[in-house]
Amino acid sequence: MFNRPLHGGNIAWAAALAGCSPDAILDFSASINPLGPPESAIAAIKSHLPNLKAYPDPDYHQLRASLSAVHQVPPDWILPGNGSAELLTWAGWELSELDRVFLIVPAFGDYWRTFKGFNANVVEYPLLSAAGEVVNLEFLDGKKQTLSSFNNGLLLNNPHNPTGKLFFQEAILPLLEMFALVVVDEAFMDFLPPDREQSLIPWVSEFPNLVILRSLTKFYSLPGLRLGYAIAHPERLQRWQAKRDPWPVNVLAAAAAEAAIADRVFQQQTWNWLQVSGIKLFQGLAELPGLKPYESAANFLLVKSAVSTSLLQEKLLKESQILIRDCLSFPELGDRYFRVAVRWEKDNQRLITELAKVLSKF
């Protein structure tokens, strides 16, 4: 029997519980853009198949040049990786060398993986109040003198997973004066159009203690290719490079990334889709009795439930072949929260309809 998954997207586990084939599962547990992968990325993969007979460029000059043009930072300030998870390992290594690492919780489970691997001294700061409301980062301001006097690090993600909370630049920038190292995971930042995004990439050159992690997994729907990148001062990235395996990014992933980040049509289509579908899904969930969705800047919604979400998940699977993400892997949330990805409108409506049926039986 399959073990209960710690991450979303475990279709094999869901199908076994539902008693159906994996293809029958409608997956809301993994926050992947339903518009992708972009056709431009698929075409790039096909055109680079002959290059499989050669090793990748160990320095990824072309990929870094492409990312440099997008983010307006020099190429040597960019380090591509085998998904942002690989780069999180090296960020965790440096954070763990500090006296303490402050972590905003609930937090992505992979953060705990890297911290446990390096025996980090982790201090948790809750983002949810006792009443279940999402608070801002200002709660750290009162500790500025204390935090600044120690060799501390901070890891947070923006937009925050799993709440979807977007932290504004002005809320994060003061923290760069308080911590020896600040790592900001911006895996979902691409879902915000340029006039709304709150990336700290423009400030990397001013703050040697700032590291930004980015991913192509969510926005471009490319989790199978494993590609992410870090943006930080070159000296720091050179230390990471000296420790990791050679050729972490394969030639097909690099080619797909170069094509995807240049695909302006796909990007605009995604922003247009999410603006409409995200609001409608939020409104539909909010109208169901016993459910409270949280406003989100990303392509997912955290939902507070009056009933057991593990039981709700089981009933949805067995009765409707729909998979939602339980939040049991987030200790601060437990069995009264679940998370759902924003999908196509017809899929979202099916989720709302089936949730209404299941909730009416409690």
Side-chain angles (χ1 to χ4, degrees):
M1 184 63 182
F2 295 95
N3 293 324
R4 177 176 287 277
L6 296 177
H7 297 279
N10 194 324
I11 303 300
W13 173 85
L17 186 61
C20 65
S21 71
D23 292 340
I25 298 295
L26 180 58
D27 184 18
F28 280 88
S29 71
S31 302
I32 305 297
N33 185 352
L35 279 67
E39 287 300 323
S40 58
I42 300 301
I45 290 172
K46 292 179 179 178
S47 68
H48 282 76
L49 287 174
N51 295 338
L52 289 177
K53 62 186 178 182
Y55 285 101
D57 170 11
D59 295 314
Y60 300 100
H61 287 99
Q62 185 56 52
L63 175 56
R64 287 165 56 218
S66 298
L67 291 167
S68 171
V70 169
H71 295 299
Q72 297 298 296
V73 295
D76 59 347
W77 292 58
I78 302 170
L79 185 67
N82 188 241
S84 60
E86 184 226 346
L87 299 165
L88 174 62
T89 297
W90 304 118
W93 161 61
E94 287 212 318
L95 284 167
S96 300
E97 291 190 327
L98 303 175
D99 295 336
R100 296 176 296 180
V101 183
F102 287 76
L103 180 65
I104 308 300
V105 295
F108 178 41
D110 217 35
Y111 298 161
W112 292 110
R113 169 193 63 81
T114 189
F115 286 148
K116 289 178 181 177
F118 294 110
N119 297 314
N121 181 16
V122 180
V123 178
E124 301 178 20
Y125 265 92
L127 188 60
L128 294 177
S129 69
E133 299 300 323
V134 181
V135 300
N136 292 314
L137 292 176
E138 283 76 7
F139 64 88
L140 286 170
D141 287 348
K143 299 181 179 294
K144 182 175 182 179
Q145 184 173 355
T146 302
L147 293 173
S148 301
S149 61
F150 289 92
N151 196 30
N152 295 320
L154 173 68
L155 171 61
L156 61 88
N157 59 341
N158 192 30
H160 180 259
N161 176 22
T163 67
K165 170 75 173 180
L166 178 67
F167 302 115
F168 289 93
Q169 294 167 340
E170 54 264 31
I172 303 177
L173 287 172
L175 304 180
L176 299 175
E177 305 286 350
M178 298 163 57
F179 291 93
L181 176 60
V182 175
V183 177
V184 184
D185 180 356
E186 295 185 352
F188 292 95
M189 190 64 76
D190 288 326
F191 286 99
L192 289 138
D195 61 335
R196 291 183 55 218
E197 76 164 21
Q198 297 294 315
S199 176
L200 289 194
I201 292 175
W203 278 272
V204 169
S205 61
E206 298 181 30
F207 293 95
N209 62 326
L210 175 62
V211 173
I212 306 295
L213 302 180
R214 298 293 287 252
S215 170
L216 275 75
T217 293
K218 314 296 185 181
F219 188 86
Y220 295 103
S221 193
L222 294 169
L225 276 184
R226 310 308 309 132
L227 185 65
Y229 53 98
I231 298 179
H233 271 241
E235 294 82 1
R236 186 181 306 278
L237 299 182
Q238 288 166 10
R239 290 198 298 271
W240 295 12
Q241 176 69 18
K243 282 186 170 289
R244 66 180 189 163
D245 295 337
W247 310 297
V249 179
N250 68 71
V251 293
L252 300 184
E258 291 171 32
I261 60 177
D263 195 333
R264 302 290 181 262
V265 173
F266 178 84
Q267 293 161 8
Q268 190 62 56
Q269 288 174 338
T270 296
W271 296 326
N272 294 344
W273 152 78
L274 185 58
Q275 175 67 23
V276 175
S277 295
I279 292 174
K280 287 186 176 180
L281 179 58
F282 178 92
Q283 293 172 339
L285 292 170
E287 292 173 358
L288 296 179
L291 298 186
K292 176 192 173 182
Y294 289 76
E295 292 187 3
S296 173
N299 64 324
F300 58 81
L301 295 172
L302 179 69
V303 185
K304 190 175 183 179
S305 171
V307 302
S308 164
T309 53
S310 54
L311 186 58
L312 191 63
Q313 180 191 61
E314 181 180 346
K315 287 185 175 294
L316 275 173
L317 276 172
K318 291 182 176 179
E319 298 177 16
S320 309
Q321 292 79 54
I322 292 176
L323 174 61
I324 60 175
R325 167 73 188 271
D326 69 57
C327 290
L328 297 177
S329 62
F330 300 101
E332 303 79 15
L333 300 181
D335 199 34
R336 284 297 185 268
Y337 291 84
F338 66 89
R339 197 189 69 188
V340 290
V342 181
R343 294 181 56 98
W344 294 110
E345 286 189 49
K346 62 179 178 63
D347 294 337
N348 298 338
Q349 186 55 53
R350 180 180 162 192
L351 171 67
I352 293 167
T353 300
E354 297 303 318
L355 267 172
K357 292 179 183 178
V358 171
L359 288 168
S360 67
K361 300 175 183 178
F362 284 90

